[in-house]
């Protein structure tokens, strides 16, 4: 099984972006920098998400330029040159000839020549689209190219006069997923679900959290999703109350719940799943009551995901169910409406119910438009991840609840009819989890 994006998909995106650009403009997008991990070794390179979205190109040391209407090609790439010696040490390079042949570039140059060539591409263009402030070094280089032209103004050069934010258009495009992207997201969701199932099956008291992390990440890699989309969280017992717990070094004890928040990146698209289950395979009565409440809130939130509803509707639904349930369990006291209004639930539920998902795990796209919550439309993809976290030190609540941390997270696509959960391959009712862990 291998699903990949076709180069036509990237061409369609560039065309769409070019159509939105103001007349006589140019867009510049650089990929990410390689980062040193320790002496002579680097972190695994990951291209910049915007750069990848427009090019499909995954080598470091590259810059993409869109120059609408340019006679010698609108899609210009600067990339590392082929170099036999360097390729023997560090791997293959496409070189300018490779991006012309394989990536749809219409003109291509060695990245080392960019300082000589880019001012010429800017010349006579009135507006530059660029993500200012993302990378200070690259900001300086862009200013340098513009200043090169300014220095030549007296000999007739016309430097651009306006810098425009590229993110505005590009991130709106990224918010709406195409059919081809949905295929990748579906695969990412299925692989991540398989990994969670595997970790649940493997879990037992006495294992260490990192051993479950290993089960998860081995399953990702085994299915071709070689990297997690974010650092895997395996929190047993009260560690589940720490939202971004990534130490993953504790031993699972009998009676613990285990919270795993893990998702793979498949062909650059993220999955983001959380499940919480008992280390021993059986929920205690108190754990099950909190679990059922979180699940009810998640289902209520998912029921709000449909075109026409706004971004905050799922969160509001989750907050209502959680607050009401906490009052019924005696964990919160007071009037439900007032507790919602004043945020009385926040001691136990301190994050939002979701975020956009895509090439970035916390994906781009505005949550509000002109001060109002964004209206959901088909093709948007988001997580739904309510939780309850009852601190082990909270002496205000009965002892049976203390140290319980539960989150349930799925990835949900807005469709014309409503929504579709793409991570449904991992069980989430308490009964289904117990059955799976019992080997049924
Ligand atoms: N795993 C990061 C998140 O759930 O937002
Ligand atoms: Mn998550
Ligand atoms: Mn998430």
């Amino acid at each position: 099984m291998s699903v990949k994006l076709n180069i036509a998909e990237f061409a369609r995106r560039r065309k769409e972006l070019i159509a939105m650009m103001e007349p006589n403009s140019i867009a510049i997008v650089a990929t990410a920098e390689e980062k040193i991990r320790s002496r002579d070794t680097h972190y695994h390179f990951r291209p910049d998400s915007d750069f990848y979205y427009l090019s499909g190109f995954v080598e470091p040391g590259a810059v993409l330029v869109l120059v609408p209407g340019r006679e010698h090609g609108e899609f210009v790439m600067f990339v590392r040159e082929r170099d036999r010696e360097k390729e023997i040490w560090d791997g293959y390079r496409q070189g300018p000839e490779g991006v012309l042949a394989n990536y749809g570039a219409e003109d291509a140059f060695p990245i080392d020549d960019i300082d000589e060539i880019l001012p010429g591409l800017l010349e006579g263009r009135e507006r530059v689209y660029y993500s200012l402030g993302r990378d200070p070094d690259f900001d300086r280089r862009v200013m340098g190219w513009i200043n090169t032209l300014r220095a030549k103004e007296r000999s007739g050069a016309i430097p651009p006069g306006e810098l425009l934010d590229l993110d505005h258009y590009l991130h709106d495009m990224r918010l709406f997923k195409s059919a081809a992207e949905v295929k990748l997201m579906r695969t990412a969701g299925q692989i991540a679900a398989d990994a969670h199932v595997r970790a649940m099956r493997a879990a037992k008291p006495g294992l260490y959290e990192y051993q479950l992390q290993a089960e998860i990440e081995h399953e990702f890699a085994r299915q071709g999703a070689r990297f997690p989309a974010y650092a895997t969280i395996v929190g047993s017992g009260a560690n589940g109350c720490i939202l971004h717990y990534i130490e993953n070094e504790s031993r699972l004890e009998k009676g613990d719940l285990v919270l795993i928040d893990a998702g793979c990146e498949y062909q650059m698209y993220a999955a983001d799943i959380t499940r919480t289950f008992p280390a021993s395979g059986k929920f205690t009565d108190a754990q099950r009551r909190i679990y059922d409440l979180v699940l009810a809130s998640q289902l209520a939130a998912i029921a709000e995901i449909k075109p026409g509803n706004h971004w905050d509707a799922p969160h509001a639904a989750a907050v209502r169910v959680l607050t009401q349930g906490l009052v019924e369990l005696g964990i919160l006291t007071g009037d439900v409406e007032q507790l919602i209004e004043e945020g009385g639930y926040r001691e136990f539920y301190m994050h939002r119910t979701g975020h956009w998902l895509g090439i970035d795990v916390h994906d781009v796209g505005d949550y509000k438009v002109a001060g109002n919550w964004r209206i959901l439309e088909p093709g948007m993809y988001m997580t739904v991840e309510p939780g309850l976290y009852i601190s082990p030190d909270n002496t205000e609540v009965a002892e049976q609840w203390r140290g319980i941390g539960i989150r349930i997270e799925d990835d949900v696509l807005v469709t014309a009819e409503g929504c579709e959960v793409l991570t449904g391959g991992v069980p989430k009712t308490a009964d289904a989890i117990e059955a799976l862990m019992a080997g049924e």
Side-chain angles (χ1 to χ4, degrees):
M1 170 213 52
S2 173
V3 194
K4 275 195 169 144
L5 286 184
N6 193 293
I7 66 160
E9 172 94 1
F10 298 99
R12 184 191 56 69
R13 295 169 179 175
R14 291 190 298 269
K15 197 167 159 207
E16 197 178 319
L17 182 63
I18 284 174
M20 288 190 285
M21 288 166 65
E22 299 266 351
N24 205 20
S25 58
I26 181 170
I28 306 173
V29 187
T31 196
E33 292 288 323
E34 286 189 284
K35 292 199 178 61
I36 291 176
R37 181 176 188 279
S38 76
R39 196 176 155 83
D40 287 346
T41 70
H42 288 84
Y43 286 103
H44 183 83
F45 176 73
R46 185 185 188 276
D48 173 78
S49 299
D50 286 340
F51 175 88
Y52 176 79
Y53 182 79
L54 291 172
S55 67
F57 192 64
V58 295
E59 287 182 24
V63 173
L64 167 156
V65 185
L66 297 177
V67 203
R70 178 171 174 266
E71 196 184 331
H72 298 294
E74 296 185 321
F75 172 32
V76 183
M77 285 279 274
F78 292 86
V79 298
R80 301 177 309 178
E81 269 190 292
R82 303 274 331 247
D83 181 324
R84 196 175 143 68
E85 173 84 1
K86 289 213 169 95
E87 287 180 55
I88 285 170
W89 284 89
D90 298 328
Y92 294 114
R93 297 174 171 198
Q94 287 284 327
E97 54 275 52
V99 287
L100 289 169
N102 307 321
Y103 287 83
E106 292 159 338
D107 207 357
F109 303 96
I111 188 74
D112 290 342
D113 295 348
I114 195 166
D115 289 337
E116 284 80 62
I117 292 166
L118 214 116
L121 296 177
L122 287 170
E123 156 118 59
R125 299 270 154 182
E126 288 168 47
R127 303 172 182 86
V128 183
Y129 284 94
Y130 174 64
S131 284
L132 193 65
R134 199 183 294 179
D135 173 353
D137 288 338
F138 200 72
D139 285 351
R140 267 192 291 280
R141 298 190 67 190
V142 172
M143 290 309 149
W145 297 323
I146 293 175
N147 285 334
T148 305
L149 282 180
R150 287 199 180 125
K152 292 185 188 154
E153 255 178 306
R154 267 164 296 163
S155 24
I158 306 172
E162 221 181 314
L163 271 181
L164 296 172
D165 187 19
L166 185 67
D167 296 0
H168 178 69
Y169 292 131
L170 194 53
H171 292 178
D172 215 61
M173 283 171 60
R174 281 179 53 188
L175 181 55
F176 294 89
K177 274 63 177 183
S178 69
E181 288 179 293
V182 170
K183 260 193 193 166
L184 296 182
M185 289 157 16
R186 201 180 284 286
T187 304
Q190 168 255 308
I191 296 172
D194 289 352
H196 278 264
V197 166
R198 185 168 146 180
M200 278 184 198
R201 286 209 171 107
K204 56 182 181 205
L207 283 190
Y208 283 82
E209 292 165 345
Y210 54 76
Q211 292 177 304
L212 293 184
Q213 178 184 350
E215 297 284 340
I216 290 267
E217 292 177 6
H218 180 251
E219 192 60 30
F220 290 172
R222 206 183 66 75
Q223 297 203 42
R226 289 185 31 233
F227 299 95
Y230 52 90
T232 299
I233 295 167
V234 183
S236 60
N239 294 337
C241 296
I242 302 167
L243 299 180
H244 289 162
Y245 171 84
I246 53 170
E247 283 88 345
N248 300 355
E249 283 178 347
S250 299
R251 213 176 89 116
L252 275 55
E253 303 297 338
K254 200 159 165 274
D256 279 352
L257 286 176
V258 185
L259 183 157
I260 300 186
D261 184 344
C264 56
E265 184 173 275
Y266 181 76
Q267 295 286 328
M268 291 292 285
Y269 286 78
D272 183 3
I273 301 181
T274 308
R275 288 291 186 269
T276 311
F277 56 87
S280 59
K282 270 248 166 266
F283 288 91
T284 65
D285 184 50
Q287 289 168 347
R288 189 183 262 256
R289 291 174 83 172
I290 303 289
Y291 188 89
D292 287 347
L293 176 54
V294 175
L295 181 57
S297 77
Q298 201 226 21
L299 297 176
I302 292 173
E304 291 297 321
I305 301 181
K306 51 184 150 201
N309 273 9
H310 62 64
W311 164 258
D312 198 47
H315 180 65
V319 162
R320 176 159 297 274
V321 171
L322 290 174
T323 306
Q324 187 137 21
L326 288 170
V327 169
E328 279 162 20
L329 292 174
I331 295 173
L332 276 178
T333 43
D335 173 61
V336 171
E337 293 308 320
Q338 201 174 346
L339 287 165
I340 291 173
E341 199 161 311
E342 292 170 1
Y345 58 87
R346 285 204 191 105
E347 186 175 352
F348 306 105
Y349 182 41
M350 59 295 279
H351 59 78
R352 298 227 14 123
T353 302
H355 49 82
W356 303 130
L357 186 65
I359 298 180
D360 289 304
V361 64
H362 289 179
D363 210 31
V364 294
D366 292 333
Y367 292 98
K368 278 191 168 178
V369 176
N372 298 312
W373 292 115
R374 181 146 208 159
I375 302 295
L376 301 178
E377 293 178 57
M380 293 176 173
Y381 192 42
M382 64 178 77
T383 67
V384 183
E385 50 178 304
L388 285 174
Y389 314 91
I390 306 170
S391 162
D393 315 318
N394 189 338
T395 51
E396 307 276 298
V397 303
E399 199 171 342
Q400 60 170 337
W401 310 120
R402 292 182 210 158
I404 294 181
I406 293 172
R407 176 162 66 255
I408 306 173
E409 176 174 29
D410 279 300
D411 303 343
V412 182
L413 177 70
V414 184
T415 62
E417 296 76 35
C419 70
E420 184 189 349
V421 177
L422 300 193
T423 46
V426 49
K428 67 179 170 185
T429 65
D431 284 345
I433 288 172
E434 288 185 351
L436 177 89
M437 294 183 74
E440 288 165 20

